[in-house]
Amino acid sequence: MFVTVNGERREIKATHVAELLNELDYQGTHVAVALNYDVVPRTRWSDTPLNDNDQIEILTPRQGG
């Protein structure tokens, strides 16, 4: 299926948010995920399905001031 991740259209095999993060090598990192502009709580990643043409934003914390 095709989704857009951080503005980039990609073909993915993952069917759930947790699988997508694993597929994109985000496992073990601190990230936040928004699916179609709604934040997905970490506790819901493994049971939140992905659909064709979803918009996904993966955000990493940055330090600065």
Side-chain angles (χ1 to χ4, degrees), residues 6 9 23 28 65:
N6 295 345
R9 187 146 171 88
E23 186 175 319

Side-chain angles (χ1 to χ4, degrees), residues 43-60:
T43 57
R44 302 289 314 229
W45 288 357
S46 57
D47 61 3
T48 300
L50 298 173
N51 297 297
D52 203 32
N53 296 312
D54 276 345
Q55 301 285 320
I56 301 139
E57 293 294 324
I58 302 171
L59 308 167
T60 57

